């Protein structure tokens, strides 16, 4: 028998021995055999087996209480599956989602499991679908319990906290009238300082990122069609679901590295995205903070900005920070990175003949440090 066949057979045997030991609760033995199997899979170049065995080894470490090793193995398996074996992505998401659930990281757990469910519904395999639905039901129950516990305190639920902050901001300033900002800001300074102290990343206007122009143009075209066909009004702007052009862009551009370089925050690749369009004169987005579920970092990329000739002022993305108001005039290919849950932000009104098309990506921090309203400043009275 050729040497390669011997290695392949040894890989299979050590994997199944490891799985058997894990089922018996012998986690030390399980880790030993599964590590051997994983190393053999890598040595013979069987990347499909690398993903599957990496998930098994992650489970063995998780059951043994070795959380950091489990986390690293799940992330590696998911990255490899996304890049080389899309048919295994739902399995990697399911394992990782259960791990995150056990660690109490419920928002990212739900995001991973919802993506797994979408993929499994497309596969049409009832047992896999039921398994993911059961995991999502568990996450939903835990989220309800956490929200009920939060409601017993002064902060309410995370959604209520964000809504109250947004209402407070909008009662004191508005993105509609920049001329008021100089007089508005003193009443906001102390409150905003309390928020910025907890931000995972301060706003950064990024130019010259060298994003492939053809990919940006493809998203702009896709966004225009999506808004026209299925767009919906949300907070005074048009939103639309992203499609294949956005997925190709996110697959070819390392957006997590862009966020990390600009903020110092290590994040996973984006877990969500949405097209945004401002098309009519006077359209604007008033100041608000996002709900926690969008993640610890946002990246807004400008896909198209049509500017009227000779207009005295163009629409900008605007933030409130401890120094005042920060306006970012985004041209096609420019982006801005910020922590949307803790950074008041909005958009100033469009001039006649102006239009803006954007895509917004949400990212979760790799360290998944828990963000709870009990650790954040209350809404001012």
């Amino acid at each position: 028998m050729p040497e390669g066949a011997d290695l392949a057979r040894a890989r299979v045997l050590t994997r199944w021995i490891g799985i058997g030991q894990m089922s018996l609760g012998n986690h030390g033995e399980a880790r030993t055999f599964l590590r051997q199997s994983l190393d053999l899979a890598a040595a013979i170049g069987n990347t499909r087996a690398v993903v599957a065995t990496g998930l098994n080894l992650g489970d063995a470490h998780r059951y043994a209480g070795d959380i950091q090793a489990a986390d690293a193995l799940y992330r590696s398996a998911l990255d490899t599956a996304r890049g080389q074996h899309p048919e295994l992505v739902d399995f990697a998401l399911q394992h990782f989602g259960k791990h995150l659930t056990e660690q109490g990281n419920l928002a990212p757990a739900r995001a991973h499991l919802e993506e797994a469910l979408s993929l499994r519904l497309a596969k049409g395999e009832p047992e896999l679908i039921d398994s993911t639905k059961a995991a999502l039901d568990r996450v939903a129950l835990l989220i309800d319990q956490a929200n009920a516990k939060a409601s017993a305190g002064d902060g309410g639920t995370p959604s209520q906290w964000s809504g109250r902050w947004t209402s407070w901001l909008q009662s004191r300033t508005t993105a509609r009238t920049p001329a008021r900002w100089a007089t508005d800001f003193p009443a906001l300074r102390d409150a905003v300082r309390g928020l910025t102290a907890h931000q995972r990343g301060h706003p950064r206007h990024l130019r010259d990122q060298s994003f492939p122009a053809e990919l940006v143009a493809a998203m702009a075209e896709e966004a225009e069609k999506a808004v026209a066909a299925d767009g919906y009004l949300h907070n005074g702007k048009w939103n639309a679901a992203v499609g294949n052009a956005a997925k190709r862009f996110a697959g070819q551009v390392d957006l997590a590295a862009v966020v990390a370089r600009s903020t110092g925050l290590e994040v996973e690749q984006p877990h969500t995205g949405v097209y945004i369009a401002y098309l009519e004169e006077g359209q604007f987005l008033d100041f608000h903070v996002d709900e926690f579920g969008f993640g610890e970092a946002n990246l807004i990329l400008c896909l198209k900005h049509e500017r009227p000739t000779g207009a005295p002022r163009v629409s900008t993305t605007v933030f409130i920070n401890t120094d005042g108001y920060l306006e970012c005039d985004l041209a096609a290919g420019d982006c801005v990175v910020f922590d949307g849950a803790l950074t008041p932000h909005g958009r100033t009104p469009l001039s006649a003949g102006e239009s803006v098309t954007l895509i917004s990506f949400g990212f979760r921090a790799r360290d998944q440090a828990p963000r709870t309203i009990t650790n954040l400043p209350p809404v001012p009275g």
Side-chain angles (χ1 to χ4, degrees):
M1 183 179 295
E3 181 181 354
D6 287 341
L7 292 177
R9 184 169 182 271
R11 177 196 68 76
V12 173
L13 289 174
T14 51
R15 183 186 178 206
W16 285 114
I17 292 172
I19 291 173
Q21 292 294 330
M22 183 164 50
S23 67
L24 295 172
N26 300 327
H27 300 134
E29 291 292 314
R31 283 179 288 179
T32 297
F33 281 103
L34 289 170
R35 171 51 69 184
Q36 291 175 2
S37 182
L38 182 60
D39 291 343
L40 287 167
I44 62 179
N46 188 337
T47 53
R48 198 177 194 281
V50 167
V51 174
T53 310
L55 294 174
N56 298 144
L57 184 56
D59 288 344
H61 279 279
R62 173 161 61 100
Y63 298 151
D66 189 354
I67 303 306
Q68 289 185 336
D71 192 272
L73 285 159
Y74 290 137
R75 290 181 193 279
S76 177
L78 179 56
D79 288 345
T80 303
R82 287 195 192 281
Q84 301 184 54
H85 294 282
E87 75 279 6
L88 297 180
V89 170
D90 60 312
F91 292 97
L93 289 165
Q94 176 92 354
H95 283 256
F96 202 0
K98 287 185 174 181
H99 167 69
L100 292 168
T101 301
E102 291 178 5
Q103 300 313 304
N105 296 325
L106 300 179
R110 180 171 60 185
H112 281 69
L113 292 168
E114 285 175 344
E115 185 181 352
L117 180 61
S118 176
L119 294 171
R120 290 183 165 184
L121 287 170
K123 286 184 174 180
E125 299 183 26
E127 289 186 5
L128 296 179
I129 292 169
D130 289 344
S131 174
T132 306
K133 284 183 174 179
L136 275 168
D137 287 343
R138 173 63 176 163
V139 173
L141 175 62
L142 293 171
I143 288 174
D144 286 343
Q145 292 174 347
N147 286 342
K149 184 176 180 181
S151 295
D154 295 332
T157 67
S159 179
Q160 290 169 337
W161 182 91
S162 301
R164 289 170 185 166
W165 262 105
T166 294
S167 296
W168 185 87
L169 289 162
Q170 293 177 359
S171 72
R172 284 158 176 78
T173 188
T174 176
R176 184 197 293 270
T177 313
R180 286 179 42 184
W181 290 350
T183 55
D184 289 339
F185 185 66
L188 301 170
R189 181 181 289 111
D190 290 343
V192 172
R193 184 177 293 120
L195 287 176
T196 57
H198 295 272
Q199 288 173 354
R200 304 300 299 274
H202 301 305
R204 296 286 186 273
H205 184 179
L206 307 180
R207 303 175 178 86
D208 302 322
Q209 290 299 298
S210 300
F211 295 137
E214 66 278 8
L215 296 182
V216 174
M219 286 191 291
E221 181 179 355
E222 180 176 78
E224 182 179 2
K225 292 178 179 177
V227 168
D230 300 303
Y232 56 95
L233 278 172
H234 180 67
N235 291 338
K237 57 183 171 46
W238 291 101
N239 281 12
V242 299
N244 290 331
K247 293 174 183 177
R248 283 195 300 272
F249 177 82
Q252 294 184 39
V253 176
D254 190 351
L255 291 172
V258 175
V259 173
R261 285 196 302 268
S262 60
T263 66
L265 178 65
E266 296 293 332
V267 296
E268 299 175 357
Q269 295 299 335
H271 69 92
T272 188
V274 63
Y275 287 130
I276 300 169
Y278 300 83
L279 304 175
E280 295 95 26
E281 180 182 359
Q283 252 189 321
F284 78 108
L285 177 61
D286 221 342
F287 290 113
H288 65 287
V289 291
D290 297 333
E291 293 191 13
F292 288 5
F294 207 70
E296 288 79 13
N298 301 41
L299 184 149
I300 293 178
L301 170 63
C302 181
L303 304 177
K304 187 177 182 180
H305 191 167
E306 293 187 346
R307 304 159 183 262
T309 303
R313 186 178 182 89
V314 295
S315 177
T316 61
T317 301
V318 61
F319 304 90
I320 308 176
N321 57 31
T322 53
D323 298 321
Y325 294 81
L326 171 65
E327 290 191 80
C328 297
D329 179 3
L330 301 178
D334 284 358
C335 60
V336 61
V337 178
F338 61 103
D339 183 343
L342 296 178
T343 308
H345 58 285
R347 172 164 284 276
T348 61
L350 268 66
S351 299
E354 188 177 13
S355 66
V356 180
T357 305
L358 312 164
I359 183 169
S360 178
F361 293 103
F363 302 79
R364 302 196 185 284
R366 282 197 175 276
D367 63 15
Q368 288 302 333
R371 174 183 274 175
T372 63
I373 55 176
T374 55
N375 297 329
L376 297 173
V379 181

